[in-house]
Amino acid sequence: MENNKIKKEINDVVNDNLKALEQLFPSAVKDGQLDIKALKEELGNFEEVGNERYELNWAGKQNAKKIVQQGIGNKTLKFVAKDSKNADTTENIYIEGDNLEVLKLLRQNYYNSIKMIYIDPPYNTGNDFVYNDTFKMDKEKSDKAEGIISENNEKLQKNQKSTNRYHANWLNMMYPRLKLARDLLTDDGVIFISIDDNEQANLKRLCDEIFGEENFVASVPIMSNPRGRQSSQFIAQTHEYLVMYSKNYNFLKVFGEKLTEEQKKEYKNSDEYGNYRLLGLRLRGGRATATESPTLHFPIYYNEKINDFYTVKKLETDIEIIPKFENGILGTWRWSKEKIEKDKKFLIVKRVKDRYDVFQKDYLTNEKTRKVKSLWIEKEINYDNSSKELSNLELDDIFNYAKPIYLMKKIISMIIEKNDTILDFFSGSATTAHAVMQLNSEDNGNRKYIMVQLPEITDEKSEAFKAGYKNIAEIGKERIRRAGEKIKQKIEEYNSNLKLGEEPKKVPDIGFKAFKVDDTNIKWYDLENFNEESQYSFDDPDSLDFVLGSNDIDIVYEIMLRQNDVPLSENLEVLTDIGNRIYLYASTYLICLETEITEEMVEKLALLEPLPIKFVFRDSAFKDNISLKDETFRKLRSLIERNSGESKVSYRVEFI
């Protein structure tokens, strides 16, 4: 319904004039701002321009571009052991923090290595909160009553339709995140984005710019609410969209869906090769005319008496079958002459009304799939199912409007193979993680996930808050824990009732390493400015190098964030036989945080097998023994170079 409250403002002349102009010339007022150039054009005054181009522009676009390139500052990811599950064995990651910061922090480690990204961002309905990436307001100046920012005075602001830059605010939020997301995708990677009509058109144009119009795959309408949203003003909305882009269309591979029982019934014929259905050999669709693909246009000759066919006429009684459409346009076959002669046993000629046609025997196999359709209306996609799924985990009163597991499994199965990684950086209740674990339990896969969620504060009056969940991230982590245990329990019950000859199922990876965005552990600025003449005390080297309260594990992870192509899920071990603060990450990176380096220690490090590809030491650990530092560097570098041979891996010795 309309807002009938008496306005606080009196005599808002500028805004009234702007609205009057918008009624006359809608194109001249964009996001509450007057476009002088567009107004002139409405009045017949067209400026001469040199080069025009088709692009999407909005207020703040240039700043959004700058945000992409800005550094992450003094931020890092800290490991949260108490929130993690099976941390020593899991390959899954859950990160709590602003997704813009997280994407920047992950960029070096996961560049070009994520097979699929799925996000369900704010739809910009007028009541959504969007990220404010330039937030600088003091808590004392915040105005919660007007819905300007969230209850925790940071990160989010309500994007009401009355806001002058309503669409621009949303685009400014999405642009840098999508730009960074593209860098993480593999060359054959794909991004899926859920959206509704409020921003679908803008999202399409934004993605055309970031991913390239040629990499657009589909915008799939999803029947999410068959009853229709009765709160809609004129038309009861039943659907939303799933926008799909590839990183590189040339490398894109989309897996089909397994056949339903109803589809399997189409394979009603059988021969010595199995059950089959008949498909017309005429090519329909792209390159289907003789002009477009002349090598596939030729006659097939059929002899009714001997019930045989061939591509070269042999007898006067042969019947010529030419591929053409109903309107007489010459068409093509799907098979070449050579393939027809080679695999004739899989073809059959049948009379159709007053003519003959050629058909292919399409056999039913366990691997048989069909292309995913461009309209999804299955009842399992109905969002009511997500309520039931959360109810099974006793979380139905805690979180609203989660995506159904069926939907996420369908999306994942289209792109992700059994060992790939999926990223969701608006993860909400973590349906994506739940779907990954569920799929792995069904086909013994090893798919991995990275979930990212801002710790949005839950309303004090909500059931979530009353149940002890102070923010959304806590709900997501708890859902993963409960869902994993349900999956494990179901598999264990199945394995306890195996029949003779049946193979036991394997419990998938149901754990995750938890991280959160936090301030740096390392005094990078002090280290950069440290020199021989600086007056530093070596009595407390940890206070010299590290922030008060930091621990070794966090420091190791912060150093690893500065490496290339090293997942955060790798194992971390302490080499206690050499020292108390010597860590080996992913069996290849050695981080030495000892406060003092000795010759004996260096000798032991040099004997490690296999030799790490990188050694990291603290400058302060060598104290004033410059010769030992130089000798350590030369000795290890020599060993590394000798062991690397012709390997292209970058082997190094570094210092912090």
Side-chain angles (χ1 to χ4, degrees), residues 195 200 218-224 238-243 373-378 381 407 410:
I195 202 70
Q200 189 271 343
S219 182
V220 180
I222 296 175
M223 183 79 76
S224 56
T238 62
H239 72 283
E240 57 185 42
Y241 301 94
L242 188 66
V243 177
K373 294 181 179 179
S374 63
L375 175 63
W376 296 1
I377 57 175
E378 304 98 302
I381 286 178
L407 172 63
K410 179 167 181 163

Side-chain angles (χ1 to χ4, degrees), residues 28-39:
V29 180
K30 297 166 182 172
D31 265 2
Q33 302 291 313
L34 178 62
D35 186 332
I36 298 294
K37 182 173 178 289
L39 180 59

Side-chain angles (χ1 to χ4, degrees), residues 316-475:
E316 288 296 324
T317 54
D318 288 348
I319 299 168
E320 186 178 67
I321 308 171
I322 299 176
K324 60 182 180 181
F325 302 111
E326 297 299 328
N327 54 10
I329 297 175
L330 296 178
T332 63
W333 303 114
R334 289 187 290 109
W335 288 15
S336 66
K337 282 186 179 184
E338 292 75 20
K339 184 169 177 59
I340 287 174
E341 293 293 348
K342 179 183 176 183
D343 296 322
K344 284 175 62 173
K345 59 182 179 251
F346 300 126
L347 297 176
I348 189 170
V349 176
K350 296 186 71 174
R351 190 178 186 89
V352 181
K353 296 181 181 179
D354 59 343
R355 60 181 175 84
Y356 287 92
D357 210 341
V358 186
F359 297 87
Q360 173 198 349
K361 296 179 180 179
D362 178 38
Y363 289 92
L364 178 62
T365 65
N366 291 333
E367 294 78 29
K368 180 67 69 177
T369 61
R370 298 231 180 136
K371 286 184 179 179
V372 178
K373 294 181 179 179
S374 63
L375 175 63
W376 296 1
I377 57 175
E378 304 98 302
K379 65 180 185 298
E380 294 88 350
I381 286 178
N382 186 332
Y383 282 11
D384 283 347
N385 287 305
S386 63
S387 298
K388 299 173 186 174
E389 292 159 0
L390 289 172
S391 178
N392 291 335
L393 301 174
E394 299 180 4
L395 291 170
D396 48 318
D397 292 331
I398 306 301
F399 195 90
N400 296 321
Y401 308 115
K403 290 289 185 282
I405 295 174
Y406 176 91
L407 172 63
M408 295 312 306
K409 285 171 61 178
K410 179 167 181 163
I411 295 169
I412 294 168
S413 298
M414 289 171 60
I415 302 298
I416 293 284
E417 296 187 82
K418 289 188 177 181
N419 291 297
D420 292 328
T421 301
I422 178 173
L423 166 67
D424 183 344
F425 55 86
F426 284 95
S427 66
S429 70
T431 304
T432 303
H434 191 164
V436 167
M437 293 188 296
Q438 188 65 49
L439 269 177
N440 286 340
S441 73
E442 294 170 5
D443 64 8
N444 203 29
N446 188 36
R447 303 169 187 85
K448 297 164 277 287
Y449 65 75
I450 301 174
M451 300 290 105
V452 182
Q453 177 59 42
L454 184 76
E456 298 178 45
I457 304 300
T458 52
D459 192 307
E460 293 183 6
K461 298 178 182 178
S462 68
E463 292 300 319
F465 188 90
K466 294 174 184 176
Y469 301 104
K470 300 300 187 289
N471 62 63
I472 302 293
E474 290 180 6
I475 298 173

